[in-house]
Amino acid sequence: TWGEQARVFRMIPGLENAEFFRMGAVHRNTFINAPTCLDDTWQLRSEPGVYFAGQIVGTEGYVEAAAGGWLVAHFIAERLAGRDPEPLPRSTAHAGLLAHTRRHPDDYQPSNITFAHLPPWEGKRLQKRAKYEAMAERALADLDAWIARRAAA
């Protein structure tokens, strides 16, 4: 804490009455190198059956962590049912998270979901907000079709 930092610094001879304008803060983001360690279902390549999700795989944010938990639960449920997990539509944020964790193995860094993780918009040229809305609509339509295919199977 900042109070504890000030107390410790004041123990140094000559700093007993020092005025500190800014204290330090440390944030350590521990994550594995997902592109080299995990397969397409976030299963450990070296130890099949061991899955990872959340910030440890390099997805940042609470929503992304929850989405990652859903993904792994889905993958495990499919495996337990004797099926290979069907990939989610590439246009969805879930698939975007998976795509991010497959990129840049030599300099892998955590990320929140962004539109950059999704396939680019190929429709008519739109302003940014309209383009993102169109990409979201595309993802929802693709997800509906994916769910319908799974229900029919």
Side-chain angles (χ1 to χ4, degrees):
T1 65
W2 293 340
E4 186 65 7
Q5 289 178 47
R7 184 188 73 76
V8 170
F9 289 148
R10 287 199 173 94
M11 293 170 61
I12 300 171
L15 295 181
E16 298 89 353
N17 297 313
E19 184 177 342
F20 303 105
F21 292 101
R22 187 171 194 189
M23 294 296 181
V26 177
H27 170 77
R28 179 178 171 88
N29 192 349
T30 302
F31 58 96
I32 58 178
N33 188 340
T36 60
C37 297
L38 303 178
D39 72 7
D40 292 345
T41 63
W42 289 352
Q43 186 173 201
L44 199 58
R45 291 181 199 274
S46 63
E47 195 67 39
V50 176
Y51 292 81
F52 287 86
Q55 290 184 325
I56 194 77
V57 301
T59 61
E60 292 197 334
Y62 297 119
V63 172
E64 290 85 345
W70 179 88
L71 282 167
V72 168
H74 166 69
F75 296 145
I76 292 171
E78 289 294 289
R79 296 258 191 240
L80 289 173
R83 297 184 294 262
D84 286 330
E86 182 183 342
L88 279 92
R90 288 184 55 235
S91 62
T92 64
H94 285 88
L97 289 174
L98 290 166
H100 166 69
T101 60
R102 294 187 198 113
R103 295 181 184 144
H104 310 296
D106 295 332
D107 185 29
Y108 181 65
Q109 293 298 314
S111 175
N112 294 84
I113 188 66
T114 71
F115 283 98
H117 294 122
L118 306 178
W121 177 248
E122 294 180 355
K124 74 174 193 168
R125 187 169 173 85
L126 300 169
Q127 290 187 355
K128 189 182 210 177
R129 183 178 178 94
K131 177 175 76 171
Y132 290 163
E133 288 175 1
M135 290 173 77
E137 289 172 11
R138 173 186 70 181
L140 290 172
D142 292 348
L143 189 58
D144 283 344
W146 183 80
I147 291 168
R149 275 193 315 276
R150 295 181 45 75

